[in-house]
Amino acid sequence: MEKTLNPSAQSNDAALGNKKVLVAAPRGYCAGVDRAVDAVEKALDLYGAPVYVRKEIVHNRYVVDSLSKRGAVFVQELDAVPPGARVVFSAHGVAPSVYAQARELGLATIDATCPLVTKVHREAIRFAREDYDIVLIGHQGHEEVEGTQGEAPEHIQVVENKDDIDRLVVRDAAKVVWISQTTLSVDETLDMVAHLRARFPLLMDPPSDDICFATQNRQGAVKAMAADVDVMIVVGSANSSNSVRLVEVALEAGAGAAYRVDYAEELDESWFSGASVVGVTSGASVPELLVRDVLSWLAERGFADVEEVRTSTETTSFSLPKNLRADLQAARPGVSEAELRAHDPR
């Protein structure tokens, strides 16, 4: 449970009428998370337990606990996986050295890296081949950043803040390019890029925006409703970068207060004292059932009027990892991928 207050927020205690909930849309599972979680579930169905997963498949406590109960075994590094076993790489991606280690251990691998993260990896490889100094905007220690930096460690420097930018040393100021972690705050990233460009006027942009569309959409929905809410609830785990960013975005966009929780039982009635309008959203790795639990908790306390605030509609989906898809289709000849992907709504 995490709490953040906006010190400039003004209290609306008296005059806002009936209690109301604004629910952001889009929210919750993005296409990359859906693909990664589905890959573990389908691997368990097809191959049986245990199926090993390096790191958390996505950054959500409920998802990891649920898959563990089904027989997924989460490990920090591959040396904890028995030789010859099957292992899934998480949605955040891994460095080439991890693939090499898997081959040395004789592991059967399923790569559930989000295709949008893979795109950033390819950008890093391309710019390294062209001998650029690459500035990766992201959080040190995050799995996605470690995986991307591992593609070209001799070319990539990671920056988290403007002080890091000020300390950068490059070989040629005319050959510097930036890329970013996919789950950052859009506004914060643009601010970092502006600071980079002030230092390196010839800074090159990546061919397309690295912040994933789902992250941007969820932040856009929060921005659209934040000024109208007294309290914003973000459902998501503490190690979920995009969930933590949603709290920050809500406060910057005018929410009176913002709280991050994993589960409805972490909510505190005192947070809603004097509140008339509550906003609810969830990070990109959060199942919808956790949002429904929060809405039920709020309804029991008088916030029964629920209105969805939709700013965009997502239709993107990603295919299952190629080798898993081939094994599933071999086991069920003639079945379409849509049927292979069929699962209960989350």
Side-chain angles (χ1 to χ4, degrees):
M1 175 182 67
E2 188 172 285
K3 163 186 170 181
T4 313
L5 294 178
N6 187 341
S8 65
Q10 300 298 312
S11 172
N12 305 342
D13 286 9
L16 295 180
N18 294 332
K19 292 181 177 180
K20 179 177 175 181
V21 180
L22 301 180
V23 184
R27 63 183 176 273
Y29 267 13
C30 64
V33 165
D34 192 48
R35 172 183 185 263
V37 175
D38 205 23
V40 178
E41 292 176 339
K42 291 293 187 289
L44 287 165
D45 291 341
L46 181 63
Y47 308 117
V51 168
Y52 292 84
V53 183
R54 183 184 180 273
K55 309 288 187 181
E56 293 186 354
I57 186 66
V58 296
H59 287 158
N60 184 264
R61 284 169 51 190
Y62 176 88
V63 171
V64 171
D65 289 347
S66 297
L67 291 173
S68 295
K69 290 173 183 174
R70 290 197 54 187
V73 179
F74 292 88
V75 299
Q76 286 301 301
E77 298 298 344
L78 295 185
D79 54 14
V81 180
R86 182 168 278 101
V87 63
V88 181
F89 295 146
S90 80
H92 309 105
V94 298
S97 58
V98 177
Y99 291 99
Q101 183 185 12
R103 287 191 295 271
E104 291 171 4
L105 294 172
L107 303 179
T109 61
I110 299 171
D111 185 0
T113 302
C114 174
L116 300 180
V117 174
T118 299
K119 176 183 78 73
V120 179
H121 281 225
R122 288 173 178 158
E123 290 173 358
I125 293 167
R126 170 196 153 188
F127 290 125
R129 284 175 179 163
E130 295 174 4
D131 204 29
Y132 277 84
D133 279 302
I134 303 166
V135 180
L136 171 55
I137 302 171
H139 299 296
Q140 288 278 7
H142 190 281
E143 289 99 308
E144 182 185 330
V145 170
E146 290 178 344
T148 302
Q149 188 173 25
E151 293 288 0
E154 69 284 2
H155 285 268
I156 296 176
Q157 299 179 69
V158 178
V159 295
E160 288 195 58
N161 52 51
K162 292 179 181 179
D163 288 341
D164 290 342
I165 292 174
D166 293 338
R167 288 191 290 266
L168 280 173
V169 176
V170 302
R171 295 167 299 156
D172 181 352
K175 290 202 71 172
V176 181
V177 62
W178 70 273
I179 59 178
S180 76
Q181 184 179 333
T182 63
T183 54
L184 300 179
S185 160
V186 178
D187 294 335
E188 182 182 4
T189 302
L190 292 176
D191 188 42
M192 289 281 284
V193 171
H195 197 72
L196 265 172
R197 202 174 302 282
R199 274 213 65 194
F200 307 109
L202 298 179
L203 179 73
M204 183 174 176
D205 296 323
S208 61
D209 190 351
D210 286 343
I211 307 295
C212 89
F213 69 87
T215 295
Q216 295 188 53
N217 290 346
R218 280 147 190 74
Q219 291 176 12
V222 165
K223 288 179 183 179
M225 58 194 273
D228 297 322
V229 307
D230 303 304
V231 181
M232 180 76 75
I233 300 300
V234 176
V235 186
S237 292
N239 63 339
S240 167
S241 177
N242 73 88
S243 297
V244 173
R245 299 290 82 73
L246 287 174
V247 173
E248 297 170 355
V249 168
L251 292 170
E252 290 165 1
Y259 302 82
R260 182 202 53 76
V261 299
D262 272 285
Y263 301 107
E265 51 263 36
E266 296 174 0
L267 295 167
D268 187 325
E269 292 193 29
S270 68
W271 299 348
F272 308 95
S273 176
S276 295
V277 182
V278 174
V280 176
T281 189
S282 57
S285 52
V286 177
E288 180 65 12
L289 64 90
L290 299 182
V291 175
R292 291 198 295 266
D293 288 346
V294 167
L295 294 178
S296 296
W297 189 97
L298 289 168
E300 291 169 1
R301 288 153 181 84
F303 292 90
D305 181 8
V306 178
E307 176 186 334
E308 186 175 77
V309 177
R310 177 168 293 281
T311 54
S312 61
T313 299
E314 295 174 355
T315 58
T316 300
S317 62
F318 297 130
S319 297
L320 288 165
K322 187 179 296 184
N323 57 344
L324 174 61
R325 187 167 71 244
D327 286 353
L328 286 166
Q329 289 172 333
R332 299 176 63 191
V335 175
S336 69
E337 172 145 349
E339 292 173 295
L340 292 175
R341 290 292 305 272
H343 51 63
D344 294 332
R346 299 188 175 98

